[in-house]
Amino acid sequence: MSIAGGVLTLTGTRSGLYVIDTEGAAATDDLDTITDADAFDGDTIVLKTSSSSRDVTIKNGTGNINAGADRVLNSGSDQIMLMYFGGTWYAFPYADNT
């Protein structure tokens, strides 16, 4: 799945692993907002980057993501788990596995 204009649009099931990529395979990209018309409170997802050569920054508080701070997925092993509640995706464990 690719980021488009800072937005990741989810469809279908809202649980499990989503491998994400930068827009146009750019070296870096920011993820500000996750949209999902069918998201329910308690939906949980895990995001990881598709390539160690393309860094995705999960932006805290810019859109509808609350991660405590900006989080950079810059290794194929990095991941972040998010839970949806009240219109916001909240991070719980963050793993920087460089």
Side-chain angles (χ1 to χ4, degrees), residues 21-78:
D21 201 358
T22 58
E23 186 169 3
T28 63
D29 203 353
D30 291 342
L31 175 59
D32 305 318
T33 302
I34 299 171
T35 60
D36 185 342
D38 298 318
F40 290 98
D41 289 350
D43 285 345
T44 304
I45 60 174
V46 176
L47 302 179
K48 68 179 286 147
T49 185
S50 66
S51 171
S52 293
S53 63
R54 295 192 292 273
D55 300 347
V56 174
T57 300
I58 309 299
K59 299 298 287 181
N60 178 62
T62 302
N64 69 342
I65 302 169
N66 184 334
D70 288 357
R71 306 294 183 183
V72 180
L73 306 178
N74 58 2
S75 162
S77 300
D78 289 351

